[in-house]
Amino acid sequence: MKLQLALEWFLNPDHLPLIAGIELGWFAQAGLELELIAPDDHYDGLQATVSGQVAFSCNEPLHMIDEHRPGLKALGCFFETDGGIVLMHAAGQRLLAGGQVRLASPVAGGVTDAIAVEILARWCAGRGAAFSPSQVVIESAGFEHLDNLAAGFDGAWLCFANFEGVAVREQGIAADFITTAQVGLHNFSALELFTGQAFLEQHPQLVATVVELVGRGAALCRDNPAQAAALWYQHSGTTPDPLMDAIIADTCPRLVAPVVRDPARWQGMWAQFDALGHARVDAAGYAALYS
């Protein structure tokens, strides 16, 4: 049976738990052919999962609460990192002095923007600086955060420590990585596996098999980083390089296994953002993701 899984953005080592099962033939042995699809837009995979166009998708848990998506079912987390905003040093000093900064984001607008502003407001407050939301301009600029910084943006939002954080360190980029943890917000920089209600009802055993194989892939890559790197280069068809080696080495310990359907995992995130007025999903809507 051929299945499609829509990614949250471009293929990268965060997806190693999926890649392992494909490259090692586990899905094929289960009678499944899994195709990974990179979206044009960050939300495409979630919409396609709800509509039944694809069987599965993965995306950040933040998008479980920024919009009510009836029919979306969360299956469990297979990767979690630290995340937040990469802000160039000069831009950070300008922000603290009352100036304006321009951030690139894969998805500008709505709740996602509000949370970026919340992070910067708390960061400024922690340094004794006044802050106004008008100091932050957020523009939709796709998924290539490092390219956006090189193109002149002051910062990038929705960055991951194991990818952009590693690149900032390894390439000596003059920037701060401002994580949610540093400003007292719950983490949401992770990848949750999703399916649709109709698909889950029609194929419960198939869904269970996919969840188990993704967890097996996470465990293998977490425990064998060298093999994980080999699988990445094999699947991506890219040439090994020091930066990607460093990204994979940082990513592997962050993989989560087994993959467990756990409503408690992101409950604190939902509750905090609901209290701050940033959640667009009520308690019943959050619970429905796991029902």
Side-chain angles (χ1 to χ4, degrees):
M1 182 176 184
K2 185 170 183 176
L3 302 172
Q4 292 181 317
L5 188 154
L7 305 175
E8 78 290 355
W9 51 17
F10 61 86
L11 185 74
N12 63 72
D14 301 350
H15 307 125
L16 275 166
L18 313 171
I19 290 168
I22 294 171
E23 291 298 323
L24 295 173
W26 298 341
F27 288 105
Q29 291 164 17
L32 304 173
E33 180 185 349
L34 184 65
E35 179 186 9
L36 306 181
I37 303 172
D40 293 325
D41 181 82
H42 193 52
Y43 298 122
D44 285 353
L46 298 177
Q47 295 164 350
T49 303
V50 169
S51 68
Q53 291 175 269
V54 300
F56 299 95
S57 59
C58 63
N59 218 306
E60 292 97 345
L62 175 63
H63 305 311
M64 298 161 63
I65 67 167
D66 65 352
E67 180 182 328
H68 185 47
R69 296 178 173 88
L72 187 68
K73 298 298 178 182
L75 299 174
C77 174
F78 62 83
F79 162 76
E80 184 172 6
T81 187
D82 297 310
I85 296 170
V86 171
L87 187 65
M88 300 300 290
H89 287 161
Q93 293 304 308
R94 186 166 68 250
L95 186 69
L96 294 172
Q100 193 174 74
V101 297
R102 178 169 162 257
L103 301 184
S105 172
V107 283
V111 172
T112 307
D113 280 11
I115 294 173
V117 171
E118 181 82 32
I119 290 171
L120 292 178
R122 290 172 174 235
W123 185 76
C124 288
R127 285 153 180 76
F131 175 83
S132 168
S134 64
Q135 290 177 252
V136 183
V137 175
I138 302 175
E139 299 178 17
S140 183
F143 309 122
E144 299 286 355
H145 293 309
L146 300 175
D147 289 347
N148 289 331
L149 292 175
F153 278 92
D154 294 318
W157 162 225
L158 291 177
C159 296
F160 281 3
N162 64 300
F163 199 94
E164 289 81 16
V166 170
V168 165
R169 182 185 72 235
E170 295 292 315
Q171 297 181 344
I173 297 172
D176 292 307
F177 196 112
I178 306 170
T179 69
T180 51
Q182 291 170 5
V183 297
L185 292 176
H186 276 265
N187 187 44
F188 51 78
S189 296
L191 290 179
E192 184 87 5
L193 185 65
F194 297 99
T195 192
Q197 180 175 345
F199 192 85
L200 180 59
E201 290 174 351
Q202 293 167 9
H203 306 284
Q205 188 53 55
L206 186 156
V207 171
T209 297
V210 170
V211 170
E212 189 275 327
L213 293 178
V214 173
R216 191 195 303 180
L220 180 143
C221 294
R222 183 188 61 198
D223 297 340
N224 299 279
Q227 185 177 6
L231 291 170
W232 164 257
Y233 290 119
Q234 177 177 310
H235 186 81
S236 65
T238 55
T239 302
D241 69 80
L243 176 58
M244 185 54 68
D245 287 345
I247 289 170
I248 293 170
D250 192 275
T251 299
C252 286
R254 302 177 189 268
L255 299 175
V256 179
V259 176
V260 177
R261 200 172 190 208
D262 179 13
R265 187 176 190 107
W266 308 116
Q267 179 71 33
M269 175 197 68
W270 170 82
Q272 183 180 48
F273 286 128
D274 185 60
L276 290 169
H278 298 323
R280 297 294 179 266
V281 175
D282 62 15
Y286 177 81
L289 289 158
Y290 292 94
S291 64

